């Protein structure tokens, strides 16, 4: 399992956040059908806790 997959599982984001690698960064996509609080929480965890260059988008 990848570091990114382990991260998503550890923080309980794997149900509504997907991951892909590209251009030396990790790209995380948050499911836009989640509530605003969950989207904000996911963005915070990824930006503050992931520890590597990453891009977070919502779809």
């Amino acid at each position: 399992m990848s570091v990114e997959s382990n991260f998503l599982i550890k923080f309980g984001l794997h149900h509504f956040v997907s991951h892909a690698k590209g251009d030396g960064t990790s790209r995380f996509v948050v499911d836009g059908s989640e509530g605003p609080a969950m989207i904000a929480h996911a963005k915070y965890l990824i930006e503050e806790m992931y520890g590597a260059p990453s891009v977070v988008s919502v779809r």
Side-chain angles (χ1 to χ4, degrees):
M1 202 176 287
S2 72
V3 171
E4 294 80 12
S5 294
N6 284 331
F7 170 80
L8 293 174
I9 290 168
K10 178 179 178 179
F11 288 100
L13 303 175
H14 60 287
H15 295 291
F16 65 99
V17 178
S18 60
H19 169 265
K21 288 212 178 226
D23 301 332
T25 62
S26 292
R27 299 181 180 275
F28 293 94
V29 179
V30 181
D31 182 355
S33 65
E34 291 294 322
M38 288 301 289
I39 292 171
H41 182 65
K43 283 182 170 182
Y44 173 80
L45 285 174
I46 294 165
E47 291 168 355
E48 298 295 322
M49 305 295 283
Y50 179 63
S54 60
V55 175
V56 181
S57 60
V58 178
R59 289 192 197 173

